[in-house]
Amino acid sequence: MISFQPTEEETSFIKVAKDFAKNRIRPAARTCEKQRAVDQKLGDEAAELGFLSLELPEDWEGLELPLLTQVQLMQALSYGDLDIIQGLQGAGDAASFFRLLRDNPVFKDKMVDLTSGATTVLIDLENNDELSENQLSLRHDHDGYILQGLSQPVRMASFADYALVAGKDSQGKNVIIWLDDSADWMVHQGDYRLGLVASGLGRFSFENVKVPLTHVLVEGTAADDILREARNRIRLLQAAKETGLMEAALDSATEYTAERKAFGREIAAFQGVSFRVASMAIETRIANHLVLEAAVKADNREPSAERLSLRALHRAHRSLRYVTDSAVQLLGGHGFVRDFPVEKWMRDAQAQVMLYGRENDLLVRSGEQLITGEEEVSVT
Amino acid sequence: MISFQPTEEETSFIKVAKDFAKNRIRPAARTCEKQRAVDQKLGDEAAELGFLSLELPEDWEGLELPLLTQVQLMQALSYGDLDIIQGLQGAGDAASFFRLLRDNPVFKDKMVDLTSGATTVLIDLENNDELSENQLSLRHDHDGYILQGLSQPVRMASFADYALVAGKDSQGKNVIIWLDDSADWMVHQGDYRLGLVASGLGRFSFENVKVPLTHVLVEGTAADDILREARNRIRLLQAAKETGLMEAALDSATEYTAERKAFGREIAAFQGVSFRVASMAIETRIANHLVLEAAVKADNREPSAERLSLRALHRAHRSLRYVTDSAVQLLGGHGFVRDFPVEKWMRDAQAQVMLYGRENDLLVRSGEQLITGEEEVSVT
Amino acid sequence: MISFELSDQQQQIKEMTHWFAENEIRPIAMEADKQEKVPDDWLDKVNKMGIHLNTSSFSGGGDKDSSGKKAKKEREGNRMGVLATEEMAWGDPAVTLSLPGAGLGGPPVESSGTPEQKERFLSIFKNDEPRWGAYALTEPDAGSDASAIRTTATKVDGGYILNGQKIFITNGACASWVVVFATVDASLGRSGQRAFVVEKGATGFSCSRLAEKMGLRANETAELVFEDCFVPQENLLGGEALYETSGSKPSGFQVAMKTFDSTRPIVAAMAIGIARAAYEYTLDIVKHDYPKQGDFFRMASELLGECEQDIAAARLLTWEAAWKADLGLANAKEAAMCKAHAGKTGLDICAKCLELLGPTGLDGHLVEKLYRDVKVFDIFEGTNEIQHLVIARRQYAPHGIRV
Amino acid sequence: MISFELSDQQQQIKEMTHWFAENEIRPIAMEADKQEKVPDDWLDKVNKMGIHLNTSSFSGGGDKDSSGKKAKKEREGNRMGVLATEEMAWGDPAVTLSLPGAGLGGPPVESSGTPEQKERFLSIFKNDEPRWGAYALTEPDAGSDASAIRTTATKVDGGYILNGQKIFITNGACASWVVVFATVDASLGRSGQRAFVVEKGATGFSCSRLAEKMGLRANETAELVFEDCFVPQENLLGGEALYETSGSKPSGFQVAMKTFDSTRPIVAAMAIGIARAAYEYTLDIVKHDYPKQGDFFRMASELLGECEQDIAAARLLTWEAAWKADLGLANAKEAAMCKAHAGKTGLDICAKCLELLGPTGLDGHLVEKLYRDVKVFDIFEGTNEIQHLVIARRQYAPHGIRV
């Protein structure tokens, strides 16, 4: 039966997350940005509350929640500050791979400690454009792989204990490898000013690093399936975070324009203002719903999950840019200075959409699947 | 010196055109639509005033005006009603070819009468998508060409005396041919309800029609140049017509919203209304300026003329859809019924953009030339 | 639990209405547009099948499903209504709007009529011959501003005398009765408004003209005139009691407004059905006729990707509004959101499909008709601007200001 | 005759400013953003070169070109101003705004100052050391609504006492003088407003804080405080005479407003310069590093095609506004149009370029800086919303209504 009602369990967990977002995360945002890292204590609290292990498997001490529940929690948390959420150390985007590869012998043999503070960085070669020089490449070598080149900027690079590299090798075969020796790489800290400054952005460089087969988690068609599913999950978790930021910007702009006066009345009384707030509200709601629907499909492992995750992330990107820009615009000059959070949110938003896939590309890929695949508009 | 001031000559000719548009064309629009053809008398008057021979060469009894002057006149005329302008019989889009091919021996030999009421239809194979079945094709035959298949819908098909077919043959070679025997083709009247209903829309069908070399105006690289230049000119004349319709819709919506009252005041007092009118005004002005600039380049036969004509027509299409839709929206229920002209204008606008090149395609083609060609933003 | 799966009942009505739309409605869509009329024999046939348009909760197949069921069962009439309406409009919106039934006149009678009135007006939709109800609010000088209506209702012995004019009335000429909004005293503003059910043939009630329109041509849009038209007391919707209960609060204006929260999702569902029809028609052509690589393929992927995304977005918003209504939750904001989004993107989607079809699309293709039809869905039942106002009003309500 | 060719003089200033932007400004752009400051020695160097920012008519190379030329020659100062400003901002907008000169304080002094004031305030910009002028209108509670300013000016013997606070003042702390708007009597509304030139070091005049900003970080944005600040009579802009001439008409408010028609095209030209810098930077990378076919090429063609089109559109609107100003024609509508379009599309263009650059664009690329810089161009000198209001007002003026 069509319903938009979270379960009671979800509702109470979401409340915890939203309170944490408002009372702990939001107030720490500027400081963490200045320090270019999330406050350790804040990270510990988040871990304590379980927010860093939502995606991890139960037998790895994770909560292993359905994606539907996780997206609602991620949205609530990101209402506080996206930068902080993206800078929380731990399994990060790699968590989805851990979930899907929990029984992989590589992990069994190595018994790496992933649940108490160690940080794993996901380097997805999909985000390598095959455009730039010296881009990171993975070459098959007779008994393993060779990693060579410079990755795109990724989150948490500055804090990396482990790295998970996933994507196509030079022959076009998918492979997922596990790196647990930080001597294998160098991290270029670079010059990041736009946004998500506390999230440890950086690029990995590898100089002909030999990866033995004992570090290969999976390759070939088996890797295809894992990669597809993990990417679907990551897209949705990221889109949910974006929705949380949208909500924050919407509320902030609503509040400001309800109080600020000009020409003798609250500026909300001008349709030039209030209609834009209404459009922001619509876009936020749409992004929310598209994420929820895709999460249900992903939980059910339906074939449409991939297309729906592309669709949800595309819309989240687009709406996020619109909503955060609108919030700055509605605050006028006050939107451009650091006295209010909206200027930071607009910067974080732009950094976020740059990190997680080109808007246009996500759209076209979802569209291609419509033409080559199923027929009906999928909402059922 | 940068200037937006028309010459005195232009100003007075534009005044004649605008008066004719307001006093003669506008009032006849609904009747012509019902008759599915432009009133003969109105056409005669337009011819009398010279409006049908602006592009034709002087030695063909045309006015042979610069494109810069013509676009201003076309804009003024279309302020009356685009459908009527598109339905005025005569040389139509073929006029640009006549201008460029005035000395062609085929015309010399045949001495066709083009300046007194005969109607020529341009069938440009560029508008053939290479997508549909039985599309019109031009095949080289040992001493001429074979025409076979069904054209896309074109203007004035129902009134055709002559046809000019231009585009690539099946080998990819450009060729322009002249057909002066209406027995060569059949016109499918079809079922046209959307807009430009008075413009004689129809499709030409040819059943293996043999075109002898005596009807080939030009082929190969010589045809490339003629085609490129003629298409640039046609794009700009069409874009100018679209700008005229935009102006009409803008004025109409402004007037209506200045008079109509709701909630105790003129609806123009609501920013939801007045800001949209302001955006319509901006778009109309932009379309106008891009056409003017491109026309200057085309008159000077500068290499950038092609890109600028693609750019101007792309923006005109986009703005036309926005402005005519907005006019309907601002009139509310009154915008949807035939008591006001805006519903017709929105339909005509949509038909127009469908006839003259896909918006997206025009944009991408202009963008490609930026990447593969010149560097600077061209406004100099 | 959040879910987007249809219940058995929902699935059933979706399938049934889709079948009907595909096999009965779509085949006559183009011809009805050309004739500017839905054929009488077709109407007679579907009426005998028991197919009606009821915008409060759709009833197909002749059975009433929203009343008298066993207690505790979750109401799902609004969700079923939007599901069914999307399918029907997918077949053709003008034909759908012309289906026999109470139409937009249904909700005010259902929500505000006395039991006697409900019985009297809603029971006439029988299989013997097609009948319609209608809803008359808009006037030449009162469009979006429903509080500005000027039609007067003068109390006389045994009833009221109406004088005034109404425009843009769907099925207004063929309707057996029309819910008419009028004011007993313009100086009272909204609280002076009353809703009446005026029956066909009433003296002084006539149709002065049928509107010619951009689209929805097969559906009748009437201009109605009331010249000293007597309406008996028992046709005052809700009876005098309704307007006396609590001073200024309930009024004809409230009757008019409260129906929007249930009709806007229905109107949104229609716009979605239209957009989906254009999208599927175009997708089909692209799939079968066009190349699967290269520039055109990429353009089609982009445009169709956007179309499908906006359809899904509009549909989810609409479902949410209907779900809230079924649960008895306030849904004015959601109803406005779905209407605003579906109305606007409906046109965008049709335009994108026309761009893909190219010039060929001008010649006898369904999509151009849908393009002409869909525009008004961003206008009637509250323009896009009014929807934005409603959303903004709800958005600012917690801050204690009224925009 | 309609023409888009530059005159010799226009071409010359464009080339000169471009040379300067490319060789002097651009090289320090990224570092100045990081330091949140334009280096003093650089400012000293360019000041010695005679490069100033003068927003009414740009003067480069130390020569004054807009005054005292032979009669009959068409004025072209505004066109030269927008051409030069676009080039400078292309180099870097924050550095450009930090250039010595009267800045936004210039236009009000030029348009409303007495000859003595013009001489006294505008002649200080000499080669010995860099000096600035500034313009202080906005207050914490008066942004778009300039008529609501609360800074008071109390008439005393020999002058006025100012009390109040101003925010978002470009070069407000380093300026040698600031044009300050204040009211002699708030109950008089706009006609009570006066413009004063407050000189650095005046007692009671201080900078309370420098704002930290999303972008334009290298440029100083000050918060100014006036606490019983005495301003001598001779610093009332235009003198008492200006405010007495015709009753309520001229006022400080008019002084503030009339400068917008010449400064808005300048601000638009800056936004265009920024957008063009992002576009050219990205085009260059796409040309040299990226494939010339396939999906990425098509996406790049589409996005860059849109960028270039909007840059050209904004530039043509800006030229038109400047051309009208040169001819002495009313240009408020055109000035608002170019500002609205350039401000909005400036951000769109930077965002599109960032999309093309992908994640790499986050790491030390100029475009992300330009993205942060450009946003405020849709806000200051009148927000996009205010521009729409100005355009609408002019659009409805012939119909006799004021919106």
Side-chain angles (χ1 to χ4, degrees), chain C residues 84-241:
Chain C
T85 309
E86 180 184 324
E87 297 307 318
M88 302 286 268
W90 174 90
D92 185 76
V95 174
T96 297
L97 283 169
S98 305
L99 283 173
L104 291 168
V109 173
E110 274 183 34
S111 69
S112 307
T114 62
E116 182 273 331
Q117 287 171 334
K118 288 187 202 180
E119 173 59 27
R120 184 151 52 100
F121 298 122
L122 298 178
S123 69
I124 65 163
F125 304 104
K126 299 220 184 76
N127 291 5
D128 59 340
E129 60 170 297
R131 293 187 186 83
W132 292 266
Y135 176 92
L137 176 62
T138 306
E139 299 183 359
D141 290 309
S144 293
D145 182 8
S147 68
I149 58 169
R150 292 177 191 180
T151 296
T152 56
T154 311
K155 186 90 178 83
V156 294
D157 199 34
Y160 289 81
I161 300 283
L162 301 193
N163 276 290
Q165 193 188 354
K166 295 286 178 181
I167 58 171
F168 305 147
I169 312 307
T170 299
N171 302 323
C174 63
S176 298
W177 50 258
V178 182
V179 175
V180 177
F181 294 84
T183 177
V184 291
D185 182 350
S187 73
L188 290 176
R190 294 171 177 187
S191 64
Q193 294 188 6
R194 299 287 180 275
F196 300 91
V197 184
V198 180
E199 291 169 272
K200 194 170 193 163
T203 315
F205 167 40
S206 62
C207 168
S208 49
R209 178 167 95 112
L210 297 181
E212 293 186 288
K213 307 187 298 293
M214 175 190 295
L216 294 184
R217 291 180 183 172
N219 181 239
E220 177 186 284
T221 300
E223 226 172 78
L224 304 179
V225 175
F226 303 89
E227 291 169 308
D228 291 334
C229 170
F230 175 76
V231 184
Q233 185 65 41
E234 61 268 27
N235 282 18
L236 173 66
L237 202 60
E240 296 291 349

Side-chain angles (χ1 to χ4, degrees), chain A residues 68-126:
Chain A
L68 179 59
T69 306
Q70 286 191 66
V71 294
Q72 296 177 72
L73 288 167
M74 277 304 156
Q75 180 175 344
L77 288 170
S78 305
Y79 185 84
D81 185 72
L82 180 64
D83 189 14
I84 287 182
I85 298 305
Q86 298 293 46
L88 288 170
Q89 298 183 39
D93 293 335
S96 299
F97 285 91
F98 296 145
R99 183 169 180 141
L100 300 171
L101 292 165
R102 64 183 79 184
D103 300 323
N104 194 282
V106 173
F107 293 126
K108 286 249 159 74
D109 296 351
K110 307 224 152 250
M111 278 317 286
V112 286
D113 176 19
L114 290 164
T115 43
S116 62
T119 293
T120 306
V121 171
L122 172 66
I123 303 172
D124 189 340
L125 300 177
E126 189 184 37

